[in-house]
Amino acid sequence: MLAVVVVVLAFLSPAARGGVTSTYRRSLQALPDMPIDADVFRPPPGFNAPEQVHITLGDQTGRAMTVSWVTPKLPDSNVVRYGLRADNLTHTANGTFRRYSFGRKYRSGFIHHATLTGLDYGTKYHYAVGSGDTASARSFSFTTPPKPGPDVPYKFGLIGDLGQTFHSNDTLSHYEACGGDAVLFIGDLSYADNHPGHDNNRWDTWARFVERSVAYQPWIWTTGNHELDFAPELGETPPITPFTNRYPPPFGASGSTRPLWYSVRMASAHVIVLASYAAYGKYTPQWRWLEGELRRVDRAVTPWLIVCVHSPWYSSNGYHYMEGESMRVEFERWLVDAKADVVLAGHVHSYERTRRVSNVAYDIANGMATPVFNRSAPVYINIGDGGNIEGLADDFRWPQPDYSVFREASFGHATLQIVNRTHAFYEWHRNSNSVKDV
């Protein structure tokens, strides 16, 4: 492992030129999604047993946790029972349920959301969903994040563009082996829209697949293009319907007006989530929110500033080339001024890490359109290599730009382990072997 601060210092040297394009190659052939009867998609036993259990923060710092689950046949109970011991669940949180339809054939199960409030920081809680007097009730546990502070350690898993192929299963298994306290998920969850009629049964299988992690630790959600589910040919014109019904982020806690952009503060990190596929031009709600949010960042409490966005602002891969350019033009100056540490993106199905780089001097007329090394700029990490049905993107442009440190067309995930206000360890883990590529 190598400390992020050491890597960052290397980015600052004007003499640092020429990154690495990995010569490692695995088969670039895309795999189909795992069959619908795969064991990782299997519903839990028992009539109407709660399934697809997942948690995320219920407020901005983790003293609340939102638990979500689905009962397939009947509404059943909306209550989460929880406590400090698995055999003593003395507290309850009442929730709500909803259903939605999609296209001509799909009707969801009963989707429940309940928020547990008044939790203590850094504490393990046990919880149960489903009717308490039936064999189909299910139990889980989670640990709340520690209280925000400048030297509070925390480990994030970084996953994007996961999908539900055998490669996806490898990615999730490898992340579980590496361990982490929470996941920053960088968009593109189920890839249900790659199936005929945007088959929303694939939203159900995906949620059962990832339950083994996300029922036990919070995943912080960024939306990608595969969450749009805009399908006028099916009569589905309001976008993002499946996602917004299933995954409720704590957007109101940070003053956001929509669940697609928001922030959380976990340990020593202030995490900002942006939406590549919602309006972000000047004076739009997202633009106004980010303008105010960056002023609210307190580096004395949360010295690490992390930004999550789906479509990359810097990528030397021809796949989806420059699709994030208009958002970069709109917001990059703000992130440089704020001295953001890292911008995480997905969308491009390969891995790439940059130096600290910016391109904020260009004004159309001055010709200064080449990215330059900048001590105040973030590192950009593209982590859209989770394993999805569309396969890998091996269309790197040549010559490799000076700002690109390392790039490889392989599936994997990354971890960011914050140690204190000045040091963190970052690793990228390739699926195909046990090598940690820093």
Side-chain angles (χ1 to χ4, degrees), residues 1-2 20 22 24 351 353 383 406 408 410-411 413-415 426-438:
M1 292 189 295
L2 187 63
V20 174
S22 172
Y24 178 86
Y351 171 71
R353 175 171 57 84
I383 195 77
F406 184 87
E408 179 177 310
S410 289
F411 292 123
H413 79 281
T415 56
Y426 169 80
E427 294 177 343
W428 175 65
H429 299 258
R430 180 193 296 142
N431 278 359
S432 299
N433 53 36
S434 59
V435 174
K436 300 174 183 178
D437 298 283
V438 181

Side-chain angles (χ1 to χ4, degrees), residues 86-294:
D87 61 353
N88 192 27
L89 305 180
T90 56
H91 301 280
T92 58
N94 294 310
T96 60
F97 74 84
R98 64 182 68 183
R99 302 185 78 183
Y100 76 93
S101 299
F102 196 93
R104 301 174 183 88
K105 298 181 179 179
Y106 181 81
R107 176 75 163 160
S108 77
F110 298 87
I111 303 170
H112 304 255
H113 305 296
T115 300
L116 288 52
T117 60
L119 306 177
D120 292 327
Y121 289 120
T123 301
K124 183 173 182 178
Y125 288 89
H126 299 267
Y127 71 99
V129 292
S131 297
D133 57 351
T134 67
S136 61
R138 301 181 67 209
S139 299
F140 306 88
S141 64
F142 63 82
T143 299
T144 54
K147 183 179 179 179
D151 293 304
V152 180
Y154 206 68
K155 186 176 182 180
F156 291 105
L158 313 177
I159 301 174
D161 299 71
L162 185 59
Q164 46 192 303
T165 70
F166 289 102
H167 292 312
S168 314
N169 194 37
D170 288 343
T171 297
L172 188 55
S173 296
H174 289 169
Y175 168 64
E176 290 173 300
C178 290
D181 300 310
V183 168
L184 302 181
F185 193 91
I186 316 300
D188 284 0
L189 284 69
S190 71
Y191 286 78
D193 60 341
N194 274 35
H195 291 265
H198 290 233
D199 184 1
N200 272 225
N201 291 293
R202 283 295 182 172
W203 277 99
D204 295 316
T205 56
W206 190 84
R208 291 197 289 269
F209 159 52
V210 297
E211 182 191 81
R212 69 199 206 215
S213 174
V214 71
Y216 296 92
Q217 60 178 232
W219 285 29
I220 307 303
W221 304 106
T222 305
T223 50
N225 54 302
H226 286 280
E227 279 70 73
L228 286 171
D229 280 299
F230 175 70
E233 71 279 9
L234 301 174
E236 297 294 342
T237 53
I240 322 181
T241 295
F243 177 87
T244 52
N245 276 282
R246 294 169 181 271
Y247 295 96
F251 67 98
S254 58
S256 171
T257 55
R258 291 199 67 194
L260 309 182
W261 59 87
Y262 60 99
S263 73
V264 294
R265 293 183 287 123
M266 304 175 74
S268 50
H270 192 122
V271 180
I272 291 176
V273 175
L274 298 178
S276 296
Y277 305 100
Y280 48 76
K282 194 169 185 178
Y283 309 128
T284 60
Q286 185 171 195
W287 185 95
R288 288 188 180 276
W289 175 83
L290 181 60
E291 181 184 37
E293 181 64 17
L294 289 171

Side-chain angles (χ1 to χ4, degrees), residues 276 280 311-313 320-329 347:
S276 296
Y280 48 76
S311 190
W313 297 1
H320 294 311
Y321 189 59
M322 292 186 71
E323 287 186 16
E325 181 66 4
S326 59
M327 187 180 237
R328 182 197 67 79
V329 170
H347 199 39

Side-chain angles (χ1 to χ4, degrees), residues 391-410:
L392 290 164
D394 189 27
D395 187 23
F396 292 118
R397 296 168 66 88
W398 296 94
Q400 184 171 356
D402 289 343
Y403 65 74
S404 175
V405 176
F406 184 87
R407 56 188 190 174
E408 179 177 310
S410 289

